[in-house]
């Protein structure tokens, strides 16, 4: 029986994205451990670049959809690339849009939906540092600004261009263990919170 519901997101929707592959490994491990997993493709939300003038004309449906997804899940597993030390515009833009959504017709606001979500962070880069700087910036963004509970465990996959086999599995057992540590910390924390009196 599935207990906690986990949303899986990649900060890149690029065809062949290493982060999408890493997110998919995390999704598999979470499902194996009994979680109900939903994967969302940020590109499919079709969100324009945030602009307050545009916002005055209305909030795109994709932002509401993302808020509903967060409201319906206990936890987030996120794999994002590092672009110049930061998470990608695709990710930040989607979360910015969702953060502006107000409560309406029984649907919570973006900030209520984000609040208390247990999050685990992953990153993949062809470089030697595995996107470490983006992990730190993402942690600050999700925790300090969006009110999520980011677990201390995190994993940056180095040399991501050599890390997967043709089926998208991680070839190195140490890397699988790194992802698994994050996934299990998220599930442990989300379960403890869910069962708290
Ligand atoms: C604008 C831009 C900036 C980048 N900056 C970094 C960086 O700071 N650190 C890093 O490790 N890789 C950087 N990269 C390389 C990405 O890690 C690489 O393109 C990676 O494959 C993107 O993730 P994806 O495969 O999931 O799309 C950058 C790529 C782009 C396009």
């Amino acid at each position: 029986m599935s207990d906690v519901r986990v949303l899986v997101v990649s900060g890149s929707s690029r065809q062949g994205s290493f982060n999408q592959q890493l997110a998919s490994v995390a999704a598999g491990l979470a499902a194996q451990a009994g979680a109900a997993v939903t994967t969302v493709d940020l590109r499919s939300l079709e969100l324009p670049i945030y602009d307050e003038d545009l916002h005055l004309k209305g909030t795109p449906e994709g932002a509401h959809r993302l808020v509903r997804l967060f409201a319906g899940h206990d936890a987030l597993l996120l794999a994002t690339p590092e672009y110049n030390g930061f998470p990608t515009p695709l990710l930040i833009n989607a979360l910015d849009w969702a953060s502006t959504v107000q409560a309406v017709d029984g649907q919570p606001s973006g900030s209520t939906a984000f609040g208390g979500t247990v999050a685990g962070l992953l990153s993949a880069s062809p470089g030697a540092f595995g996107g470490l700087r983006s992990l730190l910036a993402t942690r600050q963004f999700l925790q300090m600004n969006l009110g999520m509970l980011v677990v201390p465990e995190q994993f940056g996959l180095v040399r991501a261009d050599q890390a997967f086999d043709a089926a998208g599995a991680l070839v190195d057992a140490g890397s699988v263990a790194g992802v698994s540590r994050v996934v299990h910390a998220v599930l442990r924390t989300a379960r403890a919170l869910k069962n708290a009196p």
Side-chain angles (χ1 to χ4, degrees):
M1 192 188 66
S2 296
D3 47 2
V4 286
R5 295 155 304 172
V6 180
L7 197 59
V8 177
V9 172
S10 166
S12 169
S13 292
R14 178 180 78 78
Q15 250 188 26
S17 157
F18 303 127
N19 285 275
Q20 235 171 25
Q21 292 181 72
L22 192 60
S24 166
V25 170
L29 290 169
Q32 234 174 55
V37 174
T38 309
T39 299
V40 58
D41 176 1
L42 294 180
R43 186 188 274 167
S44 77
L45 300 175
E46 297 185 333
L47 290 165
I49 292 173
Y50 185 85
D51 175 321
E52 277 200 72
D53 288 337
L54 195 60
H55 191 190
L56 286 176
K57 297 179 189 154
T59 305
E61 173 49 30
H64 290 286
R65 206 182 125 210
L66 192 55
V67 170
R68 285 195 297 273
L69 281 165
F70 270 95
H73 290 78
D74 308 294
L76 169 71
L77 285 168
L78 172 66
T80 182
E82 174 173 286
Y83 281 3
N84 297 314
F86 278 85
T88 56
L90 179 72
L91 174 68
I92 293 181
N93 188 55
L95 294 174
D96 276 348
W97 267 116
S99 75
T100 70
V101 170
Q102 302 298 309
V104 63
D105 297 336
Q107 183 188 300
S109 66
S111 57
T112 303
F114 289 146
T117 299
V118 179
L121 304 183
L122 306 163
S123 179
S125 164
F129 299 105
L132 176 66
R133 291 176 303 162
S134 79
L135 286 171
L136 300 178
T138 306
R139 175 175 295 279
Q140 178 178 344
F141 181 40
L142 299 190
Q143 199 162 279
M144 305 298 287
N145 297 79
L146 304 183
M148 296 190 201
L149 252 163
V150 185
V151 298
E153 292 81 356
Q154 61 183 24
F155 178 68
L157 178 67
V158 302
R159 310 278 182 228
D161 51 333
Q162 298 159 37
F164 298 94
D165 67 17
L170 283 167
V171 291
D172 172 43
S175 299
V176 178
V179 180
S180 182
R181 261 193 303 278
V182 176
V183 170
H184 284 94
V186 164
L187 297 186
R188 210 166 42 243
T189 309
R191 282 173 182 144
L193 286 175
K194 208 166 169 146
N195 295 323

